[in-house]
Amino acid sequence: MSAPTGTAAAPPSATGRPGRRGVELTLLTAAVLISVLGYVITGVTRTGSVPDDALRYGAGLGALALLAHLAVRLRAPCADPLPLPIAVLLNGLGLVLIHRLDLEPPGGNAAPAQLVWSTLGVGLFIAVVTVLRDHRTLQRYAYLSVAAALVLMTVPIFFPAVNGARIWIRAGGLSFQPGEFAKILLAVFFAAYLAANHHTLSVTGRRLHRRLGRLRLPAGRVLGPVVTIWLVSVGVLVLERDLGTSLLFFGLFVVMLYVATGRTGWIAVGLLLAAAGAVAAGTLEPHVHGRVEDWLNPFATIEAGQGPGQVAQSLFAFGAGGLLGTGLGLGHSALIGFAATSDFVLATAGEELGLVGLTAVLVLYALLVARGYGYALRLRDPFGRLLAVGLSAIVALQVFVIAGGVTGLIPLTGMAMPFLAQGGSSVVTNWIIVALLIRLSDSARRAGPAPRPAGAVRHGGPAALPGGAVR
């Protein structure tokens, strides 16, 4: 089943910018060495000796990185050399932090399981880079993507809730979270649909309000299908109490709609709707209300003589870390409890690596997101531009929601930090996202910068993205 057309784009040229594969290999070597060094330091700190399996860990991580590099070198030779080393370094650091938490108390097995999922993720990365030769192929499967996404989001309703949320499927001792895969499929659908209809969304429709300036409400036949699918998606996630993913989908939809239309008013409308939804969920849903209370009064349980909760423990961990951190293996963020390796793994990074190390981790995410937006500016086809924006926005929104939650900036929503946190579905999905970004960067660097239309210069907005014409 194909998406609506009308998004003609010239194929990438045969020649492109140098791929700089040597730079990528050098950065990958550094990423693997940093990860192995962290693993060794953790072992020495906790047990007084170098871990027996340090060489095996380094060889395994190095082999995965090398295979991924060879896939990029052979199938996407003009790709950006940065995304793959960033993903390997974040994944390696995540394995180190999860292994470190496994040692307190000893006997945890989260790190080996995460390594298995990471291997599967790299395998899918190689498969996507190898099989998907042109990102525009995905545009043909827009409606199939959204159908698959809705099925994946609906199935967990029929499985038992875990920690108050019905977002996992458990079978044969394995569990995975289908909603993680759904976000990529929805990004593909939103990109295809908005690219096919961006002109209608931008210049037609009824003016919403005179105070909102140029903001117009598009015709229902155009905006209706995508809004309906978004509402169904969010409704299912609310039923499952997967509020973090609901927030992610909402943010993804608003960002892509804003980029497709170039109307800044959609950002204001999105923020108002998000605030109204947050107030409603915080008032009517006990699970959310409890998290809002923890956010407003993180030390209330201490004052009541019940000991610190997870948010308070997280804030203590950041405070204990200070500027340079306590050192790998010397923190106490394991006191956070069962969520230390998942929702709160960033607290371990803050405590043991300090503000400096935490900032470095966040810079890696920022680089990955910024490179994705850079591909969007360089690509010439609207679908590719919107897909690059959507995939980058997924990473950016996840990092903001999680980092904001564990630092007390916003209420905790329960999501996995990309690559860093324990979560098989999450790490596999993020490897697929990086593979798609690699494919987009290869097309972008082959195509070169998009030409700027003469005499059409506009400041202060991203309206140039969808069609290559600056409005």
Side-chain angles (χ1 to χ4, degrees):
M1 190 177 297
S2 62
T5 56
T7 57
S13 63
T15 58
R17 296 179 62 188
R20 304 180 72 186
R21 300 274 69 83
V23 174
E24 182 181 81
L25 186 59
T26 303
L27 293 175
L28 279 173
T29 303
V32 172
L33 289 177
I34 292 173
S35 301
V36 174
L37 180 62
Y39 189 74
V40 170
I41 291 175
T42 300
V44 171
T45 304
R46 299 298 303 179
T47 66
S49 61
V50 176
D52 296 334
D53 59 350
L55 188 59
R56 191 163 62 247
Y57 169 76
L61 188 62
L64 291 176
L66 182 60
L67 289 174
H69 167 73
L70 291 176
V72 175
R73 179 179 284 270
L74 294 175
R75 291 297 190 178
C78 292
D80 187 354
L82 275 184
L84 182 57
I86 290 174
V88 169
L89 181 54
L90 287 172
N91 203 161
L93 288 176
L95 288 169
V96 170
L97 293 174
I98 295 170
H99 168 67
R100 176 261 171 277
L101 291 167
D102 275 352
L103 298 176
E104 190 176 3
N109 60 356
Q114 184 75 355
L115 182 58
V116 172
W117 284 107
S118 300
T119 304
L120 176 60
V122 174
L124 288 175
F125 170 91
I126 294 172
V128 170
V129 172
T130 303
V131 174
L132 184 66
R133 302 302 303 273
D134 188 339
H135 64 273
R136 291 169 298 177
T137 304
L138 297 174
Q139 195 172 5
R140 304 172 189 167
Y141 304 102
Y143 291 111
L144 183 61
S145 297
V146 73
L150 293 176
V151 170
L152 287 173
M153 286 187 291
T154 305
V155 170
I157 293 178
F158 305 102
F159 286 78
V162 178
N163 299 324
R166 294 178 182 274
I167 56 177
W168 282 277
I169 293 178
R170 293 179 181 273
L174 298 176
S175 64
F176 70 99
Q177 192 174 337
E180 289 286 340
F181 303 101
K183 60 191 181 188
I184 297 179
L185 297 172
L186 282 181
V188 170
F189 169 73
F190 286 151
Y193 190 88
L194 294 175
N197 296 280
H198 79 272
H199 179 74
T200 306
L201 290 167
S202 302
V203 300
T204 64
R206 183 167 56 87
R207 191 173 179 178
L208 192 61
H209 193 280
R210 61 185 179 83
R211 291 184 180 277
L212 293 178
R214 300 169 60 241
L215 181 62
R216 292 179 179 273
L217 188 63
R221 62 180 175 80
V222 178
L223 193 60
V226 71
V227 170
T228 300
I229 290 170
W230 168 71
L231 286 175
V232 170
S233 305
V234 172
V236 170
L237 293 171
V238 169
L239 288 176
E240 297 172 346
R241 295 183 176 179
D242 189 2
L243 298 174
T245 306
S246 304
L247 186 61
L248 172 65
F249 285 174
F250 180 80
L252 174 65
F253 175 69
V254 172
V255 168
M256 295 185 73
L257 184 61
Y258 163 59
V259 173
T261 62
R263 306 288 189 192
T264 54
W266 286 117
I267 296 294
V269 173
L271 290 174
L272 288 174
L273 291 176
V279 171
T283 305
L284 302 176
E285 173 57 54
H287 183 68
V288 180
H289 182 73
R291 294 202 167 187
V292 173
E293 287 293 321
D294 290 340
W295 171 59
L296 293 174
N297 304 291
F299 306 114
T301 55
I302 300 176
E303 295 168 355
Q306 301 171 357
Q310 288 180 326
V311 177
Q313 286 282 14
S314 175
L315 296 177
F316 290 150
F318 285 116
L323 183 63
L324 299 177
T326 60
L328 279 171
L330 295 176
H332 299 86
S333 55
L335 295 173
I336 292 173
F338 70 92
T341 56
S342 51
D343 298 13
F344 289 92
V345 71
L346 203 63
T348 302
E351 182 177 14
E352 302 194 354
L353 301 178
L355 179 61
V356 173
L358 184 63
T359 301
V361 170
L362 295 177
V363 167
L364 290 176
Y365 287 115
L367 278 175
L368 186 60
V369 173
R371 303 300 280 196
Y373 289 149
Y375 313 148
L377 291 171
R378 187 175 294 275
L379 282 164
R380 296 182 181 179
D381 68 291
F383 171 72
R385 293 178 171 199
L386 283 167
L387 184 60
V389 169
L391 296 174
S392 304
I394 288 174
V395 177
L397 289 168
Q398 279 193 243
V399 172
F400 170 75
V401 168
I402 301 163
V406 300
T407 56
L409 179 64
I410 60 175
L412 193 66
T413 54
M415 294 180 69
M417 197 74 174
F419 290 114
L420 215 60
Q422 179 193 1
S425 310
S426 173
V427 73
V428 169
T429 302
N430 286 306
W431 272 112
I432 296 175
I433 289 176
V434 172
L436 293 174
L437 288 175
I438 288 284
R439 174 54 60 204
L440 288 165
S441 76
D442 183 64
S443 299
R445 291 166 68 88
R446 286 174 185 269
R452 173 178 294 180
V457 178
R458 181 176 180 271
H459 300 286
L465 278 173
V470 182
R471 290 184 297 275

